[in-house]
Amino acid sequence: MQRTVTYHGGRQHHTVRGQGHGASAGAESGWETPVAGGADGALRLPQKHGVRPADHHARYDIITQTPGGKYALGLRLFEYGRQVERTWDISLVARPYMEHLSQSTGASVMLSICEGGSVITLDQVEARDRLRIVSDAGARLPIYCTSQGKVFLAHMPRAEAEKLLRRQGMTQFTPHTITDVGALLRETDACRESGYAIENGEYKIGLRSISAPVYTAERTVRYTVGVIGMFRSTHSDEFRDAVEQVCT
């Protein structure tokens, strides 16, 4: 029979919605925003009767013209691409990688985000062995005693991280939970240097995890991907292999 370990406390659900930043380039120019269309998936650029497409596209930086008279892609297309990127469903993008990571490590894999001083599970891939470690999508986890949370703390300004930890308090869930702010900040410093964080039975006895940051195009840490399982110890070969897999 397969055992299940639930890796969270309450069942508080959370919805994450992507938001754009300001008006679109098309709105600024009064023209329709380019969209992908047709069986070939080609980009259909806006056009207007009586106006040469190249003239209009050059005017709004969709294309640029070199001194030699040739055309190249312009700044607007880059901005359009950035707007499309913001609409990506991170779970769909990360899912193939998470499934591969779970298969290669034999452990559960979680995709998380930080909000309101807590870690929120966005998606997970459960291990296929006898022990299933699950965390419902939307579940909130402590930021200070999970590897996911340590990654987020490591990439905050130190003063902000310290203020957050002192404000919310640090409950001791297990004998291994770090409840001293200074000691935890020293660990997050090491996490920032190494590129990953570990949890060694600090939230649930017997559970160990490794998490690494997921960067946005702006090089900010918006998400984490982590592996969690009943590893024998943080010095075991299987744990070291999981660290390598997560950080690859």
Side-chain angles (χ1 to χ4, degrees):
M1 177 180 295
Q2 193 176 56
R3 284 199 300 143
T4 300
V5 176
T6 304
Y7 186 66
H8 66 84
R11 290 172 173 265
Q12 185 171 355
H13 292 275
H14 173 76
T15 300
V16 178
R17 299 182 184 276
Q19 296 184 6
H21 296 266
S24 69
E28 292 171 7
S29 64
W31 288 64
E32 182 181 352
T33 300
V35 296
D40 59 356
L43 190 67
R44 308 305 182 199
L45 296 174
Q47 297 192 22
K48 183 177 180 181
H49 293 298
V51 178
R52 287 200 314 148
D55 293 340
H56 167 70
H57 301 334
R59 178 182 176 186
Y60 291 108
D61 293 330
I62 295 173
I63 60 175
T64 59
Q65 190 171 19
T66 67
K70 295 183 179 181
Y71 288 97
L73 298 180
L75 179 61
R76 283 298 188 197
L77 280 184
F78 172 75
E79 292 175 349
Y80 287 139
R82 296 296 293 278
Q83 289 177 10
V84 170
E85 180 188 30
R86 294 188 184 103
T87 68
W88 286 347
D89 184 330
I90 184 63
S91 296
L92 292 177
V93 174
R95 190 77 185 183
Y97 169 74
M98 294 170 64
E99 291 176 347
H100 172 75
L101 194 55
S102 180
Q103 290 173 1
S104 61
T105 62
S108 295
V109 178
M110 296 180 187
L111 175 69
S112 306
I113 193 171
C114 180
E115 185 172 288
S118 299
V119 174
I120 300 173
T121 303
L122 293 181
D123 195 12
Q124 67 169 335
V125 174
E126 298 174 16
R128 300 182 184 277
D129 58 14
R130 293 183 179 180
L131 180 66
R132 295 170 58 241
I133 300 170
V134 301
S135 178
D136 292 342
R140 289 182 179 267
L141 303 171
I143 197 171
Y144 61 92
C145 58
T146 58
S147 61
Q148 308 98 300
K150 291 177 185 179
V151 170
F152 291 123
L153 288 170
H155 290 84
M156 290 181 188
R158 190 181 178 89
E160 180 182 333
E162 181 174 358
K163 182 179 179 180
L164 171 63
L165 293 171
R166 295 193 185 282
R167 183 179 69 242
Q168 68 174 214
M170 300 167 69
T171 301
Q172 185 155 13
F173 290 98
T174 77
H176 307 294
T177 306
I178 300 173
T179 57
D180 179 77
V181 172
L184 183 61
L185 290 176
R186 287 191 292 274
E187 183 163 332
T188 59
D189 288 343
C191 161
R192 189 165 49 251
E193 291 296 321
S194 65
Y196 66 91
I198 66 172
E199 169 198 348
N200 188 12
E202 297 155 54
Y203 182 47
K204 299 282 187 180
I205 289 288
L207 296 185
R208 297 177 175 85
S209 67
I210 314 104
S211 291
V214 178
Y215 292 92
T216 66
E218 292 81 13
R219 298 298 296 169
T220 60
V221 177
R222 178 62 173 160
Y223 311 98
T224 62
V225 170
V227 165
I228 179 167
M230 298 287 289
F231 298 102
R232 291 192 302 273
S233 79
T234 56
H235 303 292
S236 65
D237 290 340
E238 59 181 355
F239 190 85
R240 291 194 182 102
D241 181 62
V243 169
E244 184 176 343
Q245 293 284 338
V246 170
C247 297
T248 299

